[in-house]
Amino acid sequence: MSLISTVAAVVGLLASVSVADVPADCRVNEIKGSWLVRRGPGNNDNTITCNENSDVASRDVIQMSLLYPNIVSSAEGHEGNFTLVYNQAFEAYIDGVVYFAFVNWEKTPDYGDVSSIFHCGQTMTGWYHDYDGSNWGCFKAQKMNANEAHIVKEIKKPPVKAEDLPSPADDANGAVDTHADFVQRINAAQNEWQATEYEPWQEEQLDAILKFRTSHGAPDTTSYERTTTDADYFERRQRLLPKVENGENAAISLVVPDTNSRISLAQSAYPESFDWRDVDGVNYVSPVRNQDKCGSCYAFAAAGMLEARIRIESNNALQPVLSPQEVLNCSPYTQGCSGGFSYLVAGKHAKDFGLVEEDCVPYNGAENECPADKYKECTRWKVSHYSYVGGYYGNGDEEAMIKELVENGPMTVGFEVYPDFKAYKIGVYSHTATDPKRSTSDFYEIVNHAVLVVGYGVNETTGTKYWTVKNSWGPWWGMDGYFNIKRGSDEAQIESMPTSATVMLP
């Protein structure tokens, strides 16, 4: 395949790799409340399969309450922490046990073209295990409030809305515009970054881009009750919550600091610019790779974060290249080439199972059957802790991200790929259309692509602050596979779900 053909094919497929996971849309105000958790036997190891046929009732039934914004409590009054995983799952730490499950959803006859059915008051069969990774079992949970437990919701794809700066397929006259005209309009509309003409896009490729871009659509948020005011929401996002870790395998506890103890970038010792590719002349970031036509950006971003952090922790003595393919083939926490979340790969999968090296399971850009031994012979790289930056989904911000980046290494993020981004070549990207920002109610912000933040800086000419980000579309795209994006304003939701993990060295 030629470079030009690869560009068009890849960007057409990857615009939704982070969101095309399970077709559900559950917010924190729908997940919070009291739950009954039915557990099956807990004396298994991590090879247990948890699905609709699993035993989820023979051990016991317990009660837990998920409290706003991230506290879980037991019937006995013990407390722990929980987080949403985007709008599709939750993970809770309580009484020495970790619980993880996706919300319950069902395919409908027109699924994939029109809609899906989901239940925010019920889970699919999920996994639980002790903090130390022992005593695995399966569980299902359901809201104790019968009305909440049995609410059925439908999510439909909205019609594609033309933007002020349209993509070629959005031409005002209904004709497919040329890529050259599209690039010209982008470059004429602003002077912060430059778009380039990789090639004139084929009409069918443009159709594919728009299809993937709206594969699950932007949910209608008007029916969701707001739990806080906008002022409360943005004030909460400006906090920097330090982690308190109780032992190697403990849950993460969060302490909200006093106003006087909050870290301010203006008062901090962090440099004005920083890049893990050049720390006193040393590069700690692994090479840019190409995910090809598979929606595996989340696995590449996760692998890239762990690769960089292993290099940092070992002072570059260890430089493994990790395998996204093993994640596609074997991880129970992702949907293969249909999408996933870096939190569940660099975090949960890496802690529960570990990532193997590329040489053991080479990337082929397709979902393959996981072998019975699950690549038992492969060396596995694991993490001891993981979390969303800020402690839970929706609580990240610029300050917390800079602190995490400088002190611990590159971190994964999600953001929304708009049509103009695919033509990016150089500069500080910001979306060139003036359409309003997507939903931010109850922390939720639409993202559809996962990447790796490796640094930050300030444009010397314009003064614009930016993040430096590693993509997974190959070194021929952008600035040798990297891009800069506006920092501090949550551009394209880039600051909405940063993830971190602590690697374990041999």
Side-chain angles (χ1 to χ4, degrees), residues 260-275:
N260 293 333
S261 68
R262 293 177 190 160
I263 294 176
S264 167
L265 289 180
Q267 301 171 349
S268 74
Y270 299 122
E272 184 177 52
S273 62
F274 186 85
D275 193 324

Side-chain angles (χ1 to χ4, degrees), residues 158 161 163 213-214 217-219 221 416-419 431 435-441 444-448 490 492-493:
K161 297 179 180 179
E163 297 174 326
R213 179 179 164 219
T214 58
T221 61
E416 184 169 13
V417 171
Y418 293 96
H431 182 35
D435 52 318
K437 185 177 177 180
R438 305 302 180 97
S439 167
T440 58
S441 63
Y444 174 69
E445 297 182 44
I446 293 174
V447 300
N448 57 21
D490 198 22
Q493 297 77 263

